[in-house]
Short mmCIF file of all heavy atoms in Angstrom, two decimals:
data_model
loop_
_atom_site.label_atom_id
_atom_site.label_comp_id
_atom_site.label_asym_id
_atom_site.label_seq_id
_atom_site.Cartn_x
_atom_site.Cartn_y
_atom_site.Cartn_z
N GLN A 738 17.91 -66.68 1.71
CA GLN A 738 18.51 -65.59 2.70
C GLN A 738 18.73 -64.31 1.87
O GLN A 738 18.31 -63.19 2.37
CB GLN A 738 19.70 -66.07 3.29
CG GLN A 738 20.20 -65.25 4.45
CD GLN A 738 19.23 -65.35 5.63
OE1 GLN A 738 18.33 -66.17 5.56
NE2 GLN A 738 19.31 -64.38 6.65
N LYS A 739 19.24 -64.49 0.69
CA LYS A 739 19.57 -63.27 -0.08
C LYS A 739 18.32 -62.52 -0.46
O LYS A 739 18.25 -61.31 -0.50
CB LYS A 739 20.28 -63.82 -1.32
CG LYS A 739 21.09 -62.59 -2.05
CD LYS A 739 21.99 -63.15 -3.06
CE LYS A 739 22.57 -61.92 -3.87
NZ LYS A 739 22.70 -62.30 -5.27
N ASN A 740 17.27 -63.30 -0.93
CA ASN A 740 15.96 -62.71 -1.27
C ASN A 740 15.26 -61.87 -0.16
O ASN A 740 14.80 -60.77 -0.45
CB ASN A 740 14.94 -63.86 -1.67
CG ASN A 740 14.98 -64.09 -3.18
OD1 ASN A 740 15.60 -63.43 -3.85
ND2 ASN A 740 14.33 -65.15 -3.58
N LYS A 741 15.51 -62.53 1.01
CA LYS A 741 14.93 -61.72 2.17
C LYS A 741 15.60 -60.40 2.36
O LYS A 741 14.99 -59.39 2.64
CB LYS A 741 15.14 -62.67 3.43
CG LYS A 741 13.88 -63.26 3.86
CD LYS A 741 14.01 -63.84 5.31
CE LYS A 741 12.84 -64.58 5.75
NZ LYS A 741 13.13 -65.48 6.88
N ARG A 742 16.94 -60.44 2.16
CA ARG A 742 17.68 -59.24 2.41
C ARG A 742 17.36 -58.20 1.41
O ARG A 742 17.13 -57.01 1.71
CB ARG A 742 19.20 -59.52 2.47
CG ARG A 742 19.78 -58.82 3.52
CD ARG A 742 21.33 -58.91 3.49
NE ARG A 742 21.82 -60.32 3.68
CZ ARG A 742 22.89 -60.77 3.05
NH1 ARG A 742 23.43 -60.14 2.22
NH2 ARG A 742 23.20 -62.13 3.29
N THR A 743 17.02 -58.70 0.16
CA THR A 743 16.69 -57.68 -0.89
C THR A 743 15.40 -57.18 -0.58
O THR A 743 15.18 -55.81 -0.70
CB THR A 743 16.61 -58.41 -2.23
OG1 THR A 743 17.82 -59.22 -2.36
CG2 THR A 743 16.62 -57.53 -3.35
N ALA A 744 14.32 -58.00 -0.16
CA ALA A 744 13.06 -57.56 0.14
C ALA A 744 13.15 -56.42 1.33
O ALA A 744 12.50 -55.37 1.21
CB ALA A 744 12.18 -58.60 0.59
N PHE A 745 14.01 -56.75 2.32
CA PHE A 745 14.14 -55.79 3.41
C PHE A 745 14.69 -54.50 2.94
O PHE A 745 14.20 -53.33 3.24
CB PHE A 745 15.08 -56.41 4.54
CG PHE A 745 15.28 -55.48 5.60
CD1 PHE A 745 14.35 -55.21 6.50
CD2 PHE A 745 16.57 -54.83 5.78
CE1 PHE A 745 14.60 -54.19 7.53
CE2 PHE A 745 16.86 -53.91 6.70
CZ PHE A 745 15.89 -53.68 7.67
N ALA A 746 15.69 -54.61 2.07
CA ALA A 746 16.30 -53.29 1.64
C ALA A 746 15.26 -52.56 0.84
O ALA A 746 15.21 -51.40 0.99
CB ALA A 746 17.51 -53.78 0.65
N VAL A 747 14.56 -53.18 -0.06
CA VAL A 747 13.52 -52.44 -0.84
C VAL A 747 12.46 -51.81 0.06
O VAL A 747 12.10 -50.64 -0.09
CB VAL A 747 12.88 -53.38 -1.84
CG1 VAL A 747 11.66 -52.73 -2.47
CG2 VAL A 747 13.84 -53.80 -3.04
N ARG A 748 12.03 -52.66 1.01
CA ARG A 748 10.94 -52.15 1.95
C ARG A 748 11.45 -50.87 2.75
O ARG A 748 10.77 -49.99 2.92
CB ARG A 748 10.57 -53.25 2.93
CG ARG A 748 9.01 -53.45 2.70
CD ARG A 748 8.50 -54.47 3.84
NE ARG A 748 9.12 -55.66 3.74
CZ ARG A 748 9.59 -56.43 4.68
NH1 ARG A 748 9.65 -55.83 5.96
NH2 ARG A 748 10.09 -57.48 4.54
N SER A 749 12.84 -50.96 3.20
CA SER A 749 13.28 -49.77 4.00
C SER A 749 13.69 -48.65 3.07
O SER A 749 13.65 -47.47 3.55
CB SER A 749 14.30 -50.28 4.96
OG SER A 749 15.36 -50.84 4.21
N LEU A 750 14.09 -48.92 1.87
CA LEU A 750 14.44 -47.77 1.05
C LEU A 750 13.27 -47.04 0.38
O LEU A 750 13.35 -45.90 0.03
CB LEU A 750 15.38 -48.38 -0.01
CG LEU A 750 16.71 -48.60 0.33
CD1 LEU A 750 17.65 -49.14 -0.75
CD2 LEU A 750 17.41 -47.35 0.94
N PHE A 751 12.13 -47.86 0.32
CA PHE A 751 10.98 -47.22 -0.41
C PHE A 751 10.52 -45.84 0.22
O PHE A 751 10.38 -44.87 -0.50
CB PHE A 751 9.86 -48.28 -0.42
CG PHE A 751 8.83 -47.90 -1.39
CD1 PHE A 751 9.04 -47.77 -2.73
CD2 PHE A 751 7.46 -47.61 -0.88
CE1 PHE A 751 8.03 -47.41 -3.68
CE2 PHE A 751 6.55 -47.18 -1.89
CZ PHE A 751 6.79 -47.19 -3.14
N PRO A 752 10.31 -45.90 1.56
CA PRO A 752 9.94 -44.57 2.12
C PRO A 752 10.93 -43.46 1.78
O PRO A 752 10.50 -42.23 1.69
CB PRO A 752 9.85 -44.89 3.62
CG PRO A 752 9.95 -46.26 3.76
CD PRO A 752 10.47 -46.91 2.54
N ILE A 753 12.11 -43.79 1.82
CA ILE A 753 13.19 -42.78 1.52
C ILE A 753 13.08 -42.18 0.16
O ILE A 753 13.13 -41.02 -0.07
CB ILE A 753 14.64 -43.32 1.87
CG1 ILE A 753 14.73 -43.71 3.28
CG2 ILE A 753 15.70 -42.37 1.46
CD1 ILE A 753 16.04 -44.38 3.67
N LEU A 754 12.86 -43.21 -0.79
CA LEU A 754 12.67 -42.77 -2.13
C LEU A 754 11.42 -41.90 -2.15
O LEU A 754 11.45 -40.83 -2.94
CB LEU A 754 12.34 -44.07 -3.02
CG LEU A 754 12.10 -43.77 -4.47
CD1 LEU A 754 13.41 -43.38 -5.10
CD2 LEU A 754 11.60 -45.13 -5.12
N LEU A 755 10.32 -42.31 -1.56
CA LEU A 755 9.17 -41.36 -1.54
C LEU A 755 9.37 -39.99 -1.03
O LEU A 755 9.07 -38.99 -1.64
CB LEU A 755 7.91 -41.97 -0.79
CG LEU A 755 7.18 -43.10 -1.54
CD1 LEU A 755 6.03 -43.55 -0.52
CD2 LEU A 755 6.52 -42.58 -2.74
N LEU A 756 10.14 -39.87 0.02
CA LEU A 756 10.39 -38.68 0.61
C LEU A 756 11.34 -37.82 -0.30
O LEU A 756 11.06 -36.63 -0.43
CB LEU A 756 11.19 -38.88 1.95
CG LEU A 756 10.31 -39.20 3.20
CD1 LEU A 756 11.19 -39.37 4.41
CD2 LEU A 756 9.44 -38.00 3.43
N THR A 757 12.15 -38.42 -0.87
CA THR A 757 13.04 -37.76 -1.87
C THR A 757 12.29 -37.19 -2.99
O THR A 757 12.36 -36.02 -3.35
CB THR A 757 14.13 -38.76 -2.45
OG1 THR A 757 14.73 -39.50 -1.40
CG2 THR A 757 15.23 -37.94 -3.23
N LEU A 758 11.30 -37.96 -3.51
CA LEU A 758 10.49 -37.47 -4.62
C LEU A 758 9.62 -36.31 -4.18
O LEU A 758 9.51 -35.28 -4.93
CB LEU A 758 9.61 -38.61 -5.22
CG LEU A 758 10.31 -39.66 -6.01
CD1 LEU A 758 9.39 -40.73 -6.47
CD2 LEU A 758 10.90 -39.00 -7.29
N ALA A 759 9.07 -36.62 -2.99
CA ALA A 759 8.15 -35.45 -2.49
C ALA A 759 9.03 -34.18 -2.36
O ALA A 759 8.49 -33.05 -2.66
CB ALA A 759 7.59 -35.80 -1.10
N PHE A 760 10.27 -34.27 -1.77
CA PHE A 760 11.04 -33.13 -1.53
C PHE A 760 11.40 -32.43 -2.93
O PHE A 760 11.30 -31.29 -2.98
CB PHE A 760 12.35 -33.56 -0.78
CG PHE A 760 13.22 -32.45 -0.39
CD1 PHE A 760 12.85 -31.48 0.48
CD2 PHE A 760 14.45 -32.21 -1.17
CE1 PHE A 760 13.65 -30.56 0.86
CE2 PHE A 760 15.24 -31.17 -0.83
CZ PHE A 760 14.80 -30.27 0.18
N ALA A 761 11.74 -33.32 -3.88
CA ALA A 761 12.05 -32.80 -5.17
C ALA A 761 10.78 -31.99 -5.69
O ALA A 761 10.98 -30.90 -6.37
CB ALA A 761 12.51 -33.75 -6.15
N GLY A 762 9.65 -32.54 -5.55
CA GLY A 762 8.47 -31.88 -5.93
C GLY A 762 8.19 -30.55 -5.28
O GLY A 762 8.02 -29.58 -5.99
N VAL A 763 8.54 -30.43 -3.98
CA VAL A 763 8.33 -29.20 -3.29
C VAL A 763 9.34 -28.23 -3.86
O VAL A 763 9.04 -27.12 -4.05
CB VAL A 763 8.52 -29.33 -1.75
CG1 VAL A 763 8.68 -28.08 -1.04
CG2 VAL A 763 7.38 -30.17 -1.21
N GLN A 764 10.57 -28.76 -4.10
CA GLN A 764 11.60 -27.92 -4.55
C GLN A 764 11.25 -27.24 -5.88
O GLN A 764 11.37 -26.07 -6.13
CB GLN A 764 12.86 -28.62 -4.76
CG GLN A 764 13.63 -28.89 -3.53
CD GLN A 764 14.24 -27.64 -2.86
OE1 GLN A 764 14.98 -26.93 -3.48
NE2 GLN A 764 13.63 -27.31 -1.62
N SER A 765 10.80 -28.06 -6.79
CA SER A 765 10.50 -27.50 -8.14
C SER A 765 9.28 -26.53 -8.06
O SER A 765 9.24 -25.65 -8.83
CB SER A 765 10.26 -28.64 -9.21
OG SER A 765 9.07 -29.34 -8.83
N PHE A 766 8.44 -26.81 -7.13
CA PHE A 766 7.28 -25.88 -6.96
C PHE A 766 7.77 -24.56 -6.46
O PHE A 766 7.40 -23.51 -7.01
CB PHE A 766 6.24 -26.45 -5.98
CG PHE A 766 5.05 -25.51 -5.81
CD1 PHE A 766 4.07 -25.51 -6.72
CD2 PHE A 766 4.96 -24.77 -4.62
CE1 PHE A 766 2.89 -24.67 -6.58
CE2 PHE A 766 3.86 -24.06 -4.45
CZ PHE A 766 2.87 -23.94 -5.40
N ALA A 767 8.72 -24.67 -5.50
CA ALA A 767 9.30 -23.47 -4.92
C ALA A 767 10.05 -22.66 -5.91
O ALA A 767 10.09 -21.39 -5.82
CB ALA A 767 10.15 -23.69 -3.76
N GLN A 768 10.54 -23.29 -7.04
CA GLN A 768 11.33 -22.51 -7.96
C GLN A 768 10.45 -22.04 -9.17
O GLN A 768 11.07 -21.43 -10.05
CB GLN A 768 12.48 -23.54 -8.54
CG GLN A 768 13.56 -23.55 -7.49
CD GLN A 768 14.50 -24.76 -7.76
OE1 GLN A 768 14.39 -25.44 -8.80
NE2 GLN A 768 15.34 -25.02 -6.73
N GLN A 769 9.25 -22.25 -9.02
CA GLN A 769 8.26 -21.60 -10.16
C GLN A 769 8.59 -20.16 -10.11
O GLN A 769 8.81 -19.54 -9.03
CB GLN A 769 6.87 -21.85 -9.72
CG GLN A 769 6.39 -23.27 -9.83
CD GLN A 769 6.38 -23.85 -11.12
OE1 GLN A 769 5.75 -23.12 -12.12
NE2 GLN A 769 6.98 -24.92 -11.51
N PRO A 770 8.50 -19.48 -11.23
CA PRO A 770 8.63 -18.02 -11.26
C PRO A 770 7.57 -17.46 -10.33
O PRO A 770 6.49 -17.72 -10.51
CB PRO A 770 8.57 -17.76 -12.68
CG PRO A 770 8.06 -18.92 -13.39
CD PRO A 770 8.39 -20.08 -12.54
N GLN A 771 8.04 -16.47 -9.45
CA GLN A 771 6.99 -15.83 -8.62
C GLN A 771 6.49 -14.74 -9.36
O GLN A 771 7.03 -14.07 -10.28
CB GLN A 771 7.79 -15.29 -7.40
CG GLN A 771 8.47 -16.38 -6.62
CD GLN A 771 7.40 -17.33 -5.86
OE1 GLN A 771 6.38 -16.90 -5.40
NE2 GLN A 771 7.71 -18.67 -6.03
N PRO A 772 5.24 -14.19 -9.07
CA PRO A 772 4.71 -13.04 -9.70
C PRO A 772 5.64 -11.87 -9.49
O PRO A 772 6.08 -11.74 -8.32
CB PRO A 772 3.34 -12.84 -8.95
CG PRO A 772 3.14 -14.00 -8.09
CD PRO A 772 4.38 -14.89 -8.00
#
Side-chain angles (χ1 to χ4, degrees):
Q738 193 62 14
K739 198 172 172 213
N740 268 350
K741 254 194 189 160
R742 224 185 295 141
T743 314
F745 175 75
V747 168
R748 236 187 297 129
S749 53
L750 283 179
F751 193 63
I753 296 174
L754 181 72
L755 276 185
L756 278 176
T757 311
L758 285 177
F760 184 69
V763 168
Q764 284 292 299
S765 64
F766 180 76
Q768 280 162 12
Q769 291 290 310
Q771 300 295 318

